[in-house]
Amino acid sequence: MTTTRPERPARKRPARNGAANPARSGNGRAAGNGSAPARGTGNRAPIAPPRDFALPETATPALPAVAAFDDLDMPAALLKTLTAQGVTEPFPIQAATLPNSLAGRDILGRGRTGSGKTLAFGLALLARTAGRRAEPKAPLGMVLVPTRELAQQVTDALTPYATSVQLRIATVVGGMSIGRQAGALRRGAEILVATPGRLKDLIERGDCRLDQVSVTVLDEADQMADMGFLPQVTALLKQVEPDGQRMLFSATLDKNIDRLVRMFLTDPVVHSVDPSAGAVSTMEHHVLYIADETDKKAVTARIAARDGRVILFLDTKRSVDRLVKRLLASGVRAAGLHGGRSQPQRNRTLDQFKNGQVTALVATNVAARGIHVDDLDLVVNVDPPTDHKDYLHRGGRTARAGESGSVVTLVLPEQKRDMSRLMSHAGITPRSARVKSSDEELARLTGAREPSGTPVTIEVPQPAQPAAQGDGKPGRRRRPRRSGQGTGAPAAAGANGGAQAGAPRRRTAATGGTRTGGTGRSSAAGRSGGTGRGGRRTAA
């Protein structure tokens, strides 16, 4: 199906030589290692109130919302795939934005996490790219996201629809083989899903160019600004087609992204649907006041031992690892997720949580955006967030797509004032209660119960050792592997990481020591053809 693009207002192209170049580390990310600023264990910074975002005025009236996907001018293959995926009715943000995005209008959309934003921009991106073929290294549509997990979620969500209209997706993120990602771009990919740092690296290597990108999407732009990616995002947007379509979507829109809107959106259609988690009628918010740290540990362990899955959010990587160790020792099938883990490890942990092998996922804010788990009905802030946006995105892991769920925050006496202020900024009036670990009220609200006390073991991939070579560039020959060595396993298009196999390795929660049997080779995580040791984490 060929779609005729409507004429668009003339756009003044920003100067290319004005691109800022933020301080970078070796992996191409902005200063701060590409993750949210680390939170210390000492005094917290005061919670700042949300800054107002001045919505732009729209000169051209927006098209009305639709009641059904069949009312949209989309390729028949996309409509058929929607039915096959069980998506029968558009969510509000989809019904409101798709008529305009399919017509080529710039979009500024706000919808809570889990409200259907991915298909809201994804269907328009695919429909307007269908029928075209990308040249090597030159994608036609692009989605910029702040985190690897969100990139993978977007790729997974759009892949069946892209396949139905013969479009190829390449995913480029840090922590994976840059050589494999460059290879996917050389073979040609119409749609590019990328994090800013890795995409900048690929452009500098000559493996990608953006001058043919006619549809650009910024997903969770406010988090990219919070993480220090704004200069990189600005530089990338200056390289796409100057008269192309731009769509900016997020669960929260604040003053941080006002500059992006003014620079790159032309007469945008503005839609704000379900602006906060507090507006979700199927989500309950509870603040539980805990007397001291000792009882907080007991409360956390009992909640983690519930009959059902739960995500437990903490501030730091170290506190995540310590809590996982305690939970494993007490009989809870727990695993940690934070920025200190390689991407293959993080993917493996998420898969274990989704399939039920792990029931308690202990995470930092790396899991607060871009992770979708079906039927998750409880999120616990063991450490209260310091920002109302973090609260909304943590809570957005539950009560997704019309399901019900609860967000529980554990608050110590000295945290009470800050938590009250944060809830006010988030527009939420929570239910509150004072509880002890043995209280029936705790069990009623969260399903808390006494852990079994029998240590459990969870299989996890071990960190790979750095390799002396192997950036994945073509033309290099590697020596044949000896028999018995593992091989790398491909992941999503362009975002590949090495599988890990070899001699068993065990980590004990009591001592942190390891016992290794046999011999094996290791390679950097995500390296093409890498090998390493598999392993087990145990509480005893």
Side-chain angles (χ1 to χ4, degrees):
M1 174 177 175
T2 303
T3 303
T4 302
R5 287 192 201 161
E7 294 185 6
R8 296 173 47 80
R11 186 195 300 273
K12 183 182 292 185
R13 183 163 189 154
R16 287 178 182 264
N17 59 6
N21 184 21
R24 291 161 51 82
S25 61
N27 62 6
R29 291 186 180 86
N33 201 26
S35 60
R39 293 191 177 113
T41 55
N43 294 330
R44 297 183 173 207
I47 298 173
R51 291 184 291 173
D52 291 335
F53 176 75
L55 295 176
E57 295 183 2
T58 301
T60 307
L63 295 173
V66 296
F69 287 114
D70 289 339
D71 298 333
L72 296 167
D73 183 19
M74 285 198 303
L78 288 179
L79 295 173
K80 184 177 179 180
T81 306
L82 283 165
T83 302
Q85 295 289 319
V87 184
T88 56
E89 296 182 8
F91 286 170
I93 196 167
Q94 297 164 359
T97 60
L98 278 169
N100 298 281
S101 56
L102 288 168
R105 295 286 301 275
D106 284 1
I107 302 291
L108 177 60
R110 175 170 65 178
R112 72 173 183 87
T113 303
S115 64
K117 296 194 307 297
T118 303
L119 281 186
F121 65 72
L123 290 174
L125 170 66
L126 298 175
R128 289 178 55 77
T129 310
R132 304 173 64 194
R133 201 69 175 170
E135 299 175 4
K137 305 182 182 181
L140 307 174
M142 177 174 69
V143 183
L144 284 179
V145 298
T147 67
R148 307 171 196 172
E149 282 73 22
L150 185 53
Q152 193 59 55
Q153 178 186 310
V154 169
T155 299
D156 292 344
L158 297 187
T159 293
Y161 302 94
T163 301
S164 73
V165 287
Q166 288 80 51
L167 295 177
R168 298 163 292 178
I169 300 180
T171 308
V172 298
V173 298
M176 295 297 211
S177 166
I178 193 170
R180 287 184 181 270
Q181 295 169 3
L185 290 168
R186 283 194 300 271
R187 290 189 295 272
E190 287 71 39
I191 305 300
L192 176 65
V193 181
T195 52
R198 175 52 59 91
L199 179 55
K200 189 173 189 294
D201 290 341
L202 286 162
I203 292 172
E204 289 176 346
R205 286 166 47 115
D207 291 319
C208 183
R209 69 179 200 270
L210 303 180
D211 58 301
Q212 295 189 34
V213 172
S214 59
V215 182
T216 304
V217 178
L218 268 65
D219 192 16
E220 305 294 9
D222 60 328
Q223 188 185 14
M224 284 191 271
D226 292 344
M227 293 168 66
F229 285 143
L230 198 56
Q232 288 182 343
V233 171
T234 301
L236 292 171
L237 290 178
K238 289 177 180 178
Q239 299 177 45
V240 305
E241 278 190 13
D243 296 325
Q245 179 183 17
R246 284 83 182 269
M247 294 183 276
L248 192 155
F249 281 79
S250 184
T252 57
L253 296 176
D254 58 24
K255 196 75 172 178
N256 290 339
I257 57 103
D258 185 48
R259 180 166 169 255
L260 286 177
V261 173
R262 287 186 283 104
M263 288 182 67
F264 298 108
L265 298 189
T266 301
D267 190 25
V269 175
V270 180
H271 288 287
S272 183
V273 183
D274 297 335
S276 77
V280 184
S281 59
T282 57
M283 183 186 294
E284 294 184 356
H285 301 267
H286 299 274
V287 171
L288 303 183
Y289 297 111
I290 313 295
D292 53 40
E293 284 283 359
T294 300
D295 204 39
K296 179 179 175 179
K297 291 179 180 179
V299 167
T300 302
R302 289 178 64 89
I303 294 175
R306 71 193 294 263
D307 182 16
R309 290 176 299 181
V310 59
I311 296 183
L312 306 162
F313 281 106
L314 287 88
D315 277 347
T316 66
K317 294 180 284 189
R318 179 175 294 183
S319 58
V320 165
D321 291 338
R322 280 193 284 218
L323 179 55
V324 168
K325 183 177 176 180
R326 289 200 307 269
L327 293 177
L328 288 169
S330 66
V332 177
R333 303 187 67 81
L337 187 71
H338 56 64
R341 304 287 171 88
S342 70
Q343 193 60 37
Q345 286 177 302
R346 286 154 71 167
N347 291 344
R348 172 74 174 271
T349 297
L350 280 174
D351 288 342
Q352 290 174 328
F353 185 58
K354 290 177 180 179
N355 66 29
Q357 187 177 353
V358 166
T359 57
L361 182 65
V362 186
T364 58
N365 279 341
V366 74
R369 302 197 194 200
I371 293 177
H372 174 75
V373 180
D374 290 328
D375 303 321
L376 178 67
D377 63 355
L378 182 63
V379 168
V380 179
N381 294 310
V382 178
D383 291 335
T386 57
D387 182 85
H388 74 286
K389 290 188 294 183
D390 287 342
Y391 180 90
L392 297 179
H393 287 292
R394 288 181 179 188
R397 300 312 98 206
T398 187
R400 298 174 69 87
E403 299 293 330
S404 60
S406 298
V407 182
V408 171
T409 305
L410 308 184
V411 179
L412 295 171
E414 63 271 20
Q415 298 169 329
K416 184 176 180 180
R417 179 177 296 179
D418 282 346
M419 194 62 204
S420 297
R421 189 179 300 120
L422 182 148
M423 286 295 190
S424 175
H425 295 161
I428 294 170
T429 305
R431 302 175 186 178
S432 60
R434 296 186 180 276
V435 299
K436 296 181 180 178
S437 58
S438 57
D439 286 353
E440 290 258 343
E441 180 70 0
L442 179 66
R444 185 185 70 81
L445 293 175
T446 66
R449 61 182 182 179
E450 190 66 28
S452 68
T454 303
V456 294
T457 301
I458 304 291
E459 293 184 2
V460 295
Q462 296 297 323
Q465 299 299 320
Q469 64 172 6
D471 62 359
K473 291 183 178 179
R476 296 190 178 187
R477 298 184 61 185
R478 295 185 176 88
R479 291 186 302 173
R481 297 182 181 87
R482 293 174 293 181
S483 60
Q485 291 178 357
T487 59
N496 302 306
Q500 300 186 350
R505 180 171 176 168
R506 301 176 68 87
R507 179 186 301 138
T508 62
T511 65
T514 60
R515 295 196 302 273
T516 306
T519 60
R521 290 178 60 194
S522 298
S523 71
R527 174 186 166 194
S528 172
T531 61
R533 296 186 178 101
R536 300 172 70 86
R537 177 174 58 224
T538 179

